[in-house]
Amino acid sequence: MTQESATVDPPGDELFARVPTEVSVYEVSPRDGLQNESTLISLEGKRRLINALVAAGLRRIEVTSFVSPKWVPQLADAEELARVLRAPEGITFSALCPNARGLERALSAGLSEIAVFLSASEAHNKANINKTIADTLAVFSEIVPPAREAGLLVRAYVSTVWGCPYEGAVDPARVVKIAEKLLDLGCYQISLGDTIGVGNPRQTREIVRRFLDVMPPERFALHMHDTRGTALANVLTALEMGVRDFDASVGGVGGCPYAPGAAGNLATEDLVFMLQSMGISTGIDLDKLIEAGNVAEQVIGRALPGKVHKAGPFRLRRSPTRAS
Ligand code: HMG
Ligand code: MG
């Protein structure tokens, strides 16, 4: 029995019947985390952060973006970074890719995975990638098939699923339709983004239910921002429904520069602490993950909001020692 699975007795409750025994964590701090930082971070700092994440056991890491350097200056060094990184066996480094130019850059940089991205709301899509949703899907229909033919894995994000900073409520039925189109194009998984951290568990139940009605849980992931402190509550709701893929960012750093108020991704160490103490395996070493959070703070040059990073780990024991 692993240290992780020995932490608590499984709660016999039927609510927990579908909770997975293993969860895959997709780390976004080098990309989503850093893209919103106004002070330019050195290539060496980015490499240190990524190495610390690898050492902690993260196997899927989004390392940068091949977007316009005018739109996201922080990640303008994407090629240079890709050149100095070597993905160890079993680890995938991926990068955001908005268009044909991005695909060309990702291919010449030698990455094995890209992530295309769009929003469920027109106004955010326009603000973020300067196109309508239909035009964006047309671009993706021209880049996803050749990316797959070139041997790349392609993931896709749908942003503003829980709410849009410009339009407010978003219809989940619309999100499902967009996700199905992206899967049909050849994306292996759709990451559903609560871009501005407004989601609540009731809404999450509704969104996840609609997805589970039409696809198995491995086809989608949750990408929660913790702007208003509801990210883990939403994760728990999704776990209870059998969702097993979650995005997170060490230290809780991050946000979309084109979504006002989009501060703070769910901190990876907060997610991993909760999962491990529930007996759910992630393959991640929490102590080393906290170390990676320290590296992120050094590299970024300020304290980060992640809670477990500050409080430290705490391992429950099955029963108190019987010394007395
Ligand atoms: P545009 O200005 O409409 O594009 O931007 P364009 O095709 O007219 O090109 C304008 C210039 O950009 C041209 O250069 C192009 O060559 C260049 P110029 O002639 O002016 O010198 N260009 C590029 N350069 C490098 N790489 C490229 C590229 N494409 C064009 N790939 C564009 C359209 C999509 C490029 C732009 O809007 C953009 O880069 N947007 C990215 C914004 C972004 O990265 N946002 C944050 C990520 S999304 C997010 O955080 C949400 C997420 O985390 C999930 C969630 O939380 O919900 C994923
Ligand atoms: Mg995000």
Side-chain angles (χ1 to χ4, degrees):
M1 187 177 276
T2 65
Q3 189 188 14
E4 290 163 18
S5 61
T7 50
V8 282
D9 290 322
D13 197 313
E14 66 184 34
L15 200 57
F16 281 75
R18 268 175 293 166
V19 171
T21 53
E22 274 179 42
V23 154
S24 174
V25 178
Y26 182 92
E27 174 67 30
V28 296
S29 58
R31 191 280 302 171
D32 204 351
L34 300 188
Q35 71 185 9
N36 216 15
E37 292 296 318
S38 48
T39 307
L40 283 187
I41 291 157
S42 69
L43 195 71
E44 185 48 30
K46 291 174 182 174
R47 180 159 70 159
R48 270 187 69 207
L49 172 61
I50 294 163
N51 286 343
L53 294 166
V54 170
L58 283 149
R59 290 185 291 267
R60 303 164 73 205
I61 306 176
E62 199 163 273
V63 292
T64 189
S65 288
F66 292 106
V67 298
S68 162
K70 288 182 193 147
W71 284 62
V72 183
Q74 181 64 258
L75 304 181
D77 60 359
E79 274 87 353
E80 284 169 82
L81 181 65
R83 213 171 296 128
V84 299
L85 293 176
R86 287 283 162 273
E89 185 72 25
I91 294 182
T92 307
F93 289 156
S94 63
L96 278 195
C97 172
N99 55 19
R101 173 94 183 90
L103 174 58
E104 198 182 296
R105 293 174 64 201
L107 285 171
S108 59
L111 291 190
S112 57
E113 177 167 332
I114 56 167
V116 295
F117 59 106
L118 84 172
S119 310
S121 53
E122 288 291 353
H124 183 260
N125 204 58
K126 179 77 181 159
N128 199 35
I129 41 182
N130 202 22
K131 281 187 180 53
T132 63
I133 293 172
D135 287 349
T136 308
L137 286 168
V139 169
F140 294 168
S141 70
E142 284 168 14
I143 64 169
V144 177
R148 299 285 296 116
E149 277 157 32
L152 296 186
L153 284 171
V154 184
R155 200 174 191 242
Y157 286 100
V158 182
S159 292
T160 64
V161 173
W162 279 256
C164 171
Y166 307 107
E167 293 176 18
V170 171
D171 178 4
R174 175 191 182 92
V175 182
V176 173
K177 278 199 194 118
I178 294 173
E180 285 179 318
K181 284 188 186 140
L182 293 165
L183 289 173
D184 285 348
L185 285 178
C187 299
Y188 76 91
Q189 185 173 71
I190 313 301
S191 178
L192 304 175
D194 183 8
T195 315
I196 52 170
V198 288
N200 64 69
R202 188 171 186 164
Q203 207 185 357
T204 299
R205 183 163 291 277
E206 168 69 3
I207 292 163
V208 170
R209 189 188 57 73
R210 284 180 185 253
F211 271 80
L212 288 175
D213 280 350
V214 294
M215 65 183 79
E218 61 272 17
R219 287 280 167 252
F220 63 99
L222 260 55
H223 174 106
M224 309 309 293
H225 284 254
D226 201 25
T227 320
R228 292 168 180 80
T230 53
L232 278 180
N234 289 310
V235 167
L236 179 60
T237 298
L239 280 172
E240 287 167 358
M241 298 175 80
V243 177
R244 55 183 84 148
D245 283 85
F246 297 93
D247 299 359
S249 175
V250 80
V253 62
C256 174
Y258 297 99
N265 284 73
L266 169 59
T268 316
E269 62 274 30
D270 295 1
L271 172 66
V272 168
F273 172 77
M274 186 181 88
L275 294 173
Q276 291 188 351
S277 52
M278 288 172 72
I280 299 169
S281 171
T282 61
I284 296 167
D285 181 318
L286 185 57
D287 296 311
K288 289 189 181 158
L289 184 60
I290 290 172
E291 266 309 302
N294 291 338
V295 171
E297 286 194 334
Q298 287 160 19
V299 161
I300 294 168
R302 63 182 165 81
L304 296 176
K307 291 183 179 60
V308 172
H309 172 70
K310 294 188 198 81
F314 171 72
R315 291 187 179 85
L316 298 173
R317 300 202 182 281
R318 192 172 279 275
S319 55
T321 44
R322 295 188 192 174
S324 52

